[in-house]
Amino acid sequence: LTFCTFCGKVLNGDFYFCPYCGTQCRDYSFEELAGPGLENLGKYLVLEGLDRLSSMESLLENLETELTIFLSLKMI
């Protein structure tokens, strides 16, 4: 257990900020605070990218079909 240097409340040693007054209790890095969130964000972005690629592939297939039909009608 530790104490907040500003308000004196008892704190869990894992706290980065005092939940009572908001004072920073210990140093931290961005990666340390957001670690799991950053990993999940990366996975989300990959999945979103795969979904977008799949959607684009479907659109291109539809365009190819329409173009084939258009070109076959033009030759008649």
Side-chain angles (χ1 to χ4, degrees):
L1 293 177
T2 59
F3 296 91
C4 175
T5 57
F6 186 76
C7 70
K9 301 266 186 176
V10 177
L11 305 174
N12 179 328
D14 294 335
F15 287 154
Y16 292 99
F17 296 93
C18 175
Y20 304 102
C21 69
T23 300
Q24 184 175 338
C25 300
R26 67 182 181 112
D27 290 334
Y28 59 91
S29 66
F30 178 77
E31 290 81 11
E32 190 177 7
L33 285 175
L38 289 177
E39 290 174 20
N40 291 338
L41 177 63
K43 291 175 187 175
Y44 170 78
L45 291 175
V46 167
L47 292 175
E48 182 181 323
L50 291 174
D51 286 344
R52 290 179 67 197
L53 284 174
S54 177
S55 176
M56 290 170 68
E57 181 180 27
S58 178
L59 289 171
L60 284 173
E61 288 172 357
N62 291 339
L63 284 172
E64 184 178 14
T65 302
E66 290 178 16
L67 181 60
T68 302
I69 292 170
F70 174 77
L71 290 175
S72 69
L73 292 175
K74 188 176 180 180
M75 292 182 181
I76 295 179

